[in-house]
Amino acid sequence: MSQVRILWADDEIDLLKPHVLFLEQKGYEVVAVNNGAEAVELAEEQHFDIVFLDENMPGLSGLETLQKMKENDATLPIIMITKSEEEHIMEEAIGSKISDYLIKPVNPNQILLSIKKNLDKNRLVSERTTSGYQRQFQQIGMQLNDRLDYHDWTELYKKLVYWDLELEDSQDKGMSEVFRMQQIDANNQFVRFIKENYEDWLNGIEEAPVMSHNLFQNKVKPIIESTGDKPVFLFLIDNLRYDQWKTLQPRISEFLRVEDEEMFYSILPTATHYARNAIFAGLMPSEIARRFPDMWKTENDEGGKNNHEADFLASNLKRMGMDISWSYNKITNLNAGKRLADSFFELKDNKLNVIVYNFVDMLSHARTEMEVIKELADDSPAYRSLTQSWFDHSPLIEMMQKAAEMGGHFIITTDHGTVRVEDPVKIVGDRNTNTNLRYKAGRNLNYNEKEVYEVRDPDDVFLPKYNVSTHYVFATKDDFFVYPNNYNHFVKYYRHTFQHGGVSMEEMLIPFISLSTK
């Protein structure tokens, strides 16, 4: 590694000779000057890793020197050193994007700490993160060998997402690979857990977690009833994984306070047609199909399969005895989002306002369809980054900010997550079989039973029967279904894309966030 070069500009630089010698003994090269003009000239002509800049110099002041240096190289870390504790000077320096701010007299260790914080931060954070995960690795492994219940799995998944985010920028690629293998192991165990318990949950044989079809009854209704006259805004961001929520949380926390962060289980299939209709109807899919035969769409029906969510919600609220004013808006494109954002204050008199935002779902599908998006979101960190970038420039953040101005209570949730698929699983079905890559519904399906979660009788899991021999199979972990014909083409086309419909922690364990105004 090349020697770190420091430029230090101070009109009393001779008095700082002990500090300079201290840094040189630590292996740094220090170039010292006594005025701002010379510092600017040197910074333009030579490479420096970091600059220490006195705020109060004759001639070109520290702030003026700072401005000129930033114009030349906006990425250069600059530490402002001053005798003054005046607030306006601090604010001006911080507004000019200084990297640190030190008050004279400074001691050598302060200087050393500032250098490490700015130049070695990534390495130090990476090393600490790696050692932290190394300590947790064995504990997580032991947990995976225990008999976990549904609550244990949500807590374990939160822990895995935490380390996923922490290791995202790690310079230790070997440790990142160790974590990836532990994620795979966890998903393998989670699939076994779902196979053993899912049907029992739905049939009341075992205590069940909150799931899509009882989310309103168990979570939303109590919030509405506890907030008095205040409005409740429910933002359902389609296809939002828990790690994506954690990526958006810092931005949202600028104007909303997180009161509670919970998780619930999406029903199967983890697909919008089933999971989101179940949320709004307060019913499982087969119950919806039976009660609302004209509104429930089969797998082979043309057109959208979630066009009656407002009708389902109206019926659900009535069954729960909730005679309240409410609104429902679904955003499926940018223009619709802008229109709702422009008129958002019109919602203030409703007790409940539901805003379904489909963009993350569209982004997920675009990740499959568009080569540019494929390159931008090649893995989970890139997918999270793309979600963050979209959110920062979307009408959704404007809506949330306007809702915060109105006061009230806020819910951010979703209907299911997605998983990045890796391994193809061969399946054969007739021409009426649905096209989803993570679940198949139909008859005459041929597959390897060991590679899937199969439901031979849809009644067992409250799914519709489209004929007497209909059954469902779900891809698990990071598998995806591919037909044998033109197999290699479709494997190459869909591998490393984000899909949903099957059984994985990423798809089934999803966030339910309660927030209030700051």
Side-chain angles (χ1 to χ4, degrees), residues 105 156 167 172 204 207 238 249 260 298 408 424 437 449 464 472 505 511:
L156 180 62
L167 291 165
D172 188 339
E207 181 186 352
D238 192 282
Q249 183 179 355
D260 198 8
T298 71
L437 298 183
E449 294 178 8
Y472 290 75
M505 295 183 296

Side-chain angles (χ1 to χ4, degrees), residues 114-224:
S114 192
I115 292 170
K116 288 187 176 294
K117 188 165 65 175
N118 285 280
L119 297 185
D120 292 345
K121 178 181 177 181
N122 290 341
R123 178 183 61 80
L124 294 171
V125 169
S126 176
E127 289 175 358
R128 185 171 181 81
T129 299
T130 297
S131 63
Y133 174 63
Q134 283 176 327
R135 290 192 296 271
Q136 284 279 302
F137 172 81
Q138 188 172 4
Q139 181 185 339
I140 293 172
M142 291 173 63
Q143 282 182 272
L144 288 172
N145 289 324
D146 290 340
R147 189 164 182 83
L148 305 179
D149 62 21
Y150 65 80
H151 176 74
D152 296 329
W153 272 109
T154 60
E155 293 306 307
L156 180 62
Y157 181 54
K158 284 182 179 181
K159 189 179 296 185
L160 288 169
V161 168
Y162 170 81
W163 286 113
D164 189 14
L165 296 171
E166 288 291 296
L167 291 165
E168 181 174 299
D169 299 319
S170 173
Q171 299 170 11
D172 188 339
K173 300 306 177 187
M175 187 55 61
S176 296
E177 182 62 20
V178 168
F179 174 75
R180 192 182 76 83
M181 297 307 294
Q182 190 163 61
Q183 274 185 312
I184 292 172
D185 184 31
N187 250 332
N188 287 336
Q189 301 285 1
F190 181 75
V191 169
R192 293 193 190 100
F193 171 71
I194 293 298
K195 287 182 176 181
E196 290 173 2
N197 294 280
Y198 185 72
E199 291 182 22
D200 289 347
W201 290 345
L202 295 180
N203 289 281
I205 298 172
E206 273 191 29
E207 181 186 352
V210 175
M211 301 180 74
S212 308
H213 62 295
N214 53 36
L215 183 69
F216 256 81
Q217 179 69 43
N218 291 340
K219 293 297 181 185
V220 180
K221 182 182 178 183
I223 288 173
I224 294 172

Side-chain angles (χ1 to χ4, degrees), residues 225-271:
E225 292 177 337
S226 67
T227 52
D229 296 331
K230 294 180 180 179
V232 174
F233 294 89
L234 192 161
F235 294 93
L236 193 152
I237 307 174
D238 192 282
N239 220 341
L240 185 75
R241 298 193 327 188
Y242 178 69
D243 62 325
Q244 289 173 299
W245 149 248
K246 298 304 290 184
T247 301
L248 300 182
Q249 183 179 355
R251 184 74 173 94
I252 292 172
S253 294
E254 293 174 11
F255 50 90
L256 291 174
R257 179 181 291 106
V258 175
E259 299 286 347
D260 198 8
E261 182 183 274
E262 301 177 83
M263 300 185 80
F264 70 101
Y265 281 65
S266 171
I267 64 163
L268 295 173
T270 48

Side-chain angles (χ1 to χ4, degrees), residues 12-13 25 29 44 57 87 95 144 146 172 194 197 217 237 249 255 263 328 336 364 370 373 386 395 423 441 464:
E12 298 177 331
I13 194 68
Q25 288 170 359
E29 178 185 348
E44 289 177 351
M57 292 185 292
E87 189 175 351
L144 288 172
D146 290 340
D172 188 339
I194 293 298
N197 294 280
Q217 179 69 43
I237 307 174
Q249 183 179 355
F255 50 90
M263 300 185 80
Y328 168 89
S364 174
M370 296 170 55
I373 301 295
L386 193 59
D423 298 320

